[in-house]
Amino acid sequence: MLARFNALSLATKTTTLTIAALLTLALTIFVIADRSITADAERQAAERQETNMRVAWDVLRGHGEEFRAEGELLYVGDKKLNDWTQPVDLVKTLVGGTATVFRGDKRITTNVTKPDGSRAVGTTLAAGPARDAVLGKGMPFRGDADILGRAFFTAYDPIKDKAGNVIGVLYVGIPKDEALAAVSSLRWSMAIGVLLATLVIAAGIFALSRAMFRPLGTMNAVMQDLAKGSTTIDIPGRERRDEIGHMAAALVSFRDAAIARQRIEASSREADAERQAAMTILNESLRRVSQGDLSAALDARFPTSYAELRTNFNDALDNLSTLVGTVLESTDAIRSGSTEIATASEDLARRTEGAAASLEQTAAAVTQMNGRVGETASAATRTVERADRAITVVDTGRAVADDAVQAMGRVAESTKGIDAVIEGLDKIAFQTRVLAMNAAVEAGRAGEAGRGFAVVADLVSALAMRAEEEAGRARDQLTATQTDIGAAVDAVEKVDSALSEIVGTVGEVHGLLATIATDNSAQSTAIGEISTAIGAMDRSTQQNAAMVEETSAAARNLSDQVERLAEHARAFRVQGDARSARRNAFEVAGPATAQ
């Protein structure tokens, strides 16, 4: 749309913009005037509503001053308002519009009609601001309302009984379409007048702009001819003192410049021919260079006026040839080096992986050895504890052996006393036997009187003999007991000596076991540190293996890139036999080296 507008002539665009501005101004004036007229009509309708309400109250109060309600019935004075149409019809006759009397929110008399033409008696007041204000708050309401599908300017007043209770509503209203009918007619008249005035002014502006911009059209035609290369045209308007005269003077300058340019163009045609020839030769050489032929130097056919370009081009080709040869040599060396790096990296990767596996096995073995050394240290510690308990037991045994030796010594001493007692008994038995013999002698002397005493003497003698025999056996038994006690004392002393040697030996074993336990603990700690170090070495070796694999992949990638670079470089045909031979050698040796 904007492009089409820009394609119009200046006169058309100016006229269009002016008419558009006039239409905008006319529309603005029309809108402002319409709003002002509508507001004035609404104000007049509101004033009319107040008049209608006063008339309606006067009509009702003509029948009484007090209102009362009895059920659904509403009275003013003694007159029942239900279905009494005279008051509302009288209001319509006096001031126009509509009137209604409500009992509560129900119409009991009205001149408002339904769509079928009957009075809307029995219908209710719709919910809204009017009902809330009058029935809810007991206050008058003024404003717009929709009544049975039609817009009205309305006024509602509460009807109160003598106690001040709202018992009904008095309504008067004017249909909006009737109140604004004159405004609509005036609106159309004003719109037609504004439109006609706008068209007349637009026609005058169009004629004036056409006359004003006609010289510009002539000047435009002259500029078009001048742009087409015509230098013999006459430029009008040079005598004017306004912008048209200034434009004419500028066009004269443009025409003179065009004439001078034609002269310059005529003199530069030969230079253009030489430049065209130079560009053709240069284009051919560049085409050969683009195909990889670096021997496409500019020869003597190149125009002499572009000798510097020829020299620079040929020097650039020589430098490029040298560069490509160097690239070929470098790519061969890089390819060989990258291949060696890749091979070495792969070997190093394999060795690193092997070292990592060995380190992992070593770490596992060291971990097992650490566990076994720890178990050995624990066993040595437990052995030391048991040796301590053995030493304690042996010490207890030595103490018991000492007690036994002492007890046996006391028993030996006791046997000596028993031997003395047995010896005393033996003496008593001997003396008793002697006494028995004396008694027997005396009994023999006594004869028949001493016979009983002789029997007793025989019995005492027999008893003394038995006592001697028993004392002899007791001495023999005591002698055997003393011999056994002596042997037992010797055995207990030997046991004590053996226990002493055992204590010494166990002490030495205890010392050796304590040393072994300490050494095992130190070895466990050292092996744990070695295991940690080997684990760290294993992780480092794994990382080194990953890095070596990455290095190998990078070397292979570098070899591939160098091969591609060599392929691109071999696409060029450089100057000189030596370079060609070297390039051919690279082409033959390159793939073998890459392999």
Side-chain angles (χ1 to χ4, degrees):
M1 187 66 181
L2 183 61
R4 294 180 62 185
F5 179 78
N6 291 332
L8 298 176
S9 63
L10 187 60
T12 304
K13 286 190 284 188
T14 303
T15 303
T16 302
L17 292 175
T18 304
I19 293 174
L22 285 174
L23 289 175
T24 302
L25 178 62
L27 181 60
T28 303
I29 294 173
F30 173 75
V31 171
I32 294 174
D34 179 68
R35 290 186 177 179
S36 177
I37 293 171
T38 302
D40 186 65
E42 291 177 352
R43 181 182 56 77
Q44 291 179 2
E47 293 176 354
R48 182 181 171 188
Q49 284 290 86
E50 296 299 328
T51 302
N52 293 354
M53 182 61 74
R54 287 194 298 270
V55 171
W57 279 113
D58 291 340
V59 170
L60 292 178
R61 287 196 174 96
H63 298 279
E65 291 294 331
E66 293 182 359
F67 294 86
R68 73 180 188 279
E70 295 180 2
E72 296 295 329
L73 302 179
L74 182 65
Y75 293 87
V76 55
D78 295 329
K79 187 65 178 176
K80 184 177 71 171
L81 296 177
N82 295 67
D83 298 324
W84 185 34
T85 61
Q86 182 181 353
V88 294
D89 291 341
L90 182 58
V91 171
K92 182 176 182 181
T93 301
L94 293 175
V95 295
T98 59
T100 301
V101 177
F102 292 85
R103 167 65 181 99
D105 63 347
K106 184 179 180 182
R107 292 181 176 88
I108 59 176
T109 180
T110 182
N111 56 14
V112 176
T113 59
K114 298 178 182 179
D116 59 1
S118 62
R119 294 177 185 265
V121 176
T123 58
T124 58
L125 178 62
R131 178 170 178 167
D132 296 339
V134 179
L135 295 178
K137 301 178 182 179
M139 299 174 57
F141 174 79
R142 304 291 186 270
D144 299 342
D146 185 81
I147 301 176
L148 299 179
R150 191 177 180 185
F152 281 80
F153 292 111
T154 63
Y156 293 86
D157 280 352
I159 297 176
K160 302 180 180 179
D161 58 11
K162 62 181 180 180
N165 299 319
V166 178
I167 58 175
V169 180
L170 177 61
Y171 153 81
V172 293
I174 304 172
K176 273 192 171 185
D177 53 0
E178 294 179 4
L180 300 179
V183 175
S184 299
S185 177
L186 181 60
R187 181 183 295 118
W188 280 106
S189 299
M190 184 173 59
I192 293 172
V194 171
L195 181 60
L196 291 175
T198 302
L199 291 176
V200 171
I201 295 173
I205 292 174
F206 179 74
L208 182 61
S209 63
R210 294 286 293 180
M212 184 175 59
F213 286 104
R214 187 175 294 110
L216 284 177
T218 304
M219 197 64 64
N220 180 50
V222 173
M223 286 189 289
Q224 294 292 333
D225 293 338
L226 187 60
K228 293 177 182 178
S230 178
T231 57
T232 59
I233 58 174
D234 184 30
I235 299 175
R238 287 176 291 177
E239 70 281 357
R240 298 176 62 133
R241 295 292 182 266
D242 56 4
E243 290 81 357
I244 301 298
H246 297 162
M247 292 175 63
L251 288 177
V252 171
S253 299
F254 291 156
R255 184 186 62 184
D256 295 341
I259 293 172
R261 187 176 65 253
Q262 289 178 355
R263 293 173 183 172
I264 294 172
E265 289 176 355
S267 63
S268 64
R269 287 190 181 94
E270 295 180 0
D272 289 340
E274 291 183 357
R275 183 172 63 254
Q276 184 64 32
M279 290 300 102
T280 301
I281 298 173
L282 182 61
N283 182 53
E284 177 63 23
S285 296
L286 290 175
R287 185 185 62 79
R288 292 171 60 188
V289 170
S290 66
Q291 295 176 354
D293 187 4
L294 299 182
S295 63
L298 299 177
D299 52 17
R301 294 183 298 111
F302 204 74
T304 57
S305 57
Y306 294 93
E308 185 177 359
L309 176 60
R310 172 189 173 188
T311 302
N312 293 334
F313 183 81
N314 291 337
D315 291 342
L317 281 182
D318 289 339
N319 293 332
L320 183 59
S321 298
T322 303
L323 176 61
V324 170
T326 304
V327 167
L328 286 172
E329 295 175 355
S330 300
T331 52
D332 182 68
I334 294 172
R335 181 171 57 247
S336 177
S338 61
T339 302
E340 293 176 357
I341 291 173
T343 302
S345 298
E346 291 176 354
D347 293 340
L348 180 59
R350 288 192 295 271
R351 289 194 297 273
T352 305
E353 290 176 356
S358 300
L359 278 175
E360 187 174 1
Q361 295 175 356
T362 302
V366 169
T367 302
Q368 294 177 357
M369 184 170 65
N370 185 23
R372 293 176 179 175
V373 169
E375 293 176 357
T376 303
S378 299
T381 302
R382 290 193 300 271
T383 304
V384 169
E385 294 175 355
R386 292 179 180 178
D388 290 335
R389 288 197 296 271
I391 292 173
T392 302
V393 171
V394 171
D395 289 337
T396 303
R398 289 191 65 194
V400 172
D402 290 338
D403 293 340
V405 170
Q406 294 177 3
M408 289 180 180
R410 290 193 297 273
V411 170
E413 294 295 330
S414 297
T415 55
K416 293 179 180 180
I418 293 171
D419 186 34
V421 171
I422 291 172
E423 185 177 0
L425 290 175
D426 191 17
K427 291 178 178 180
I428 292 171
F430 178 75
Q431 292 177 359
T432 301
R433 189 166 58 81
V434 171
L435 289 176
M437 290 176 64
N438 293 329
V441 170
E442 291 295 331
R445 287 179 182 176
E448 194 64 36
R451 186 177 295 177
F453 187 75
V455 172
V456 172
D458 291 335
L459 292 174
V460 169
S461 177
L463 181 62
M465 291 178 65
R466 288 181 62 189
E468 288 178 356
E469 292 175 357
E470 293 295 333
R473 286 196 296 271
R475 182 178 291 111
D476 295 337
Q477 187 68 34
L478 180 61
T479 302
T481 300
Q482 287 178 345
T483 302
D484 292 337
I485 289 173
V489 169
D490 293 336
V492 170
E493 288 178 353
K494 292 179 181 179
V495 169
D496 182 57
S497 176
L499 290 176
S500 177
E501 293 179 359
I502 290 172
V503 168
T505 304
V506 170
E508 294 177 358
V509 171
H510 179 272
L512 293 174
L513 289 175
T515 303
I516 291 172
T518 303
D519 293 340
N520 286 336
S521 178
Q523 289 178 3
S524 177
T525 303
I527 291 173
E529 294 177 354
I530 292 172
S531 178
T532 302
I534 290 176
M537 292 173 61
D538 182 40
R539 290 191 295 272
S540 299
T541 304
Q542 295 289 344
Q543 294 176 357
N544 291 337
M547 293 175 62
V548 168
E549 290 180 358
E550 293 177 356
T551 303
S552 178
R556 287 193 295 270
N557 187 23
L558 176 62
S559 178
D560 294 339
Q561 295 296 329
V562 169
E563 182 61 28
R564 292 177 58 189
L565 178 62
E567 290 178 359
H568 288 295
R570 286 195 295 270
F572 291 98
R573 295 187 295 276
V574 299
Q575 297 177 358
D577 296 334
R579 289 174 184 163
S580 298
R582 185 167 57 249
R583 176 173 59 82
N584 294 331
F586 291 156
E587 291 178 353
V588 173
T593 305
Q595 294 175 356

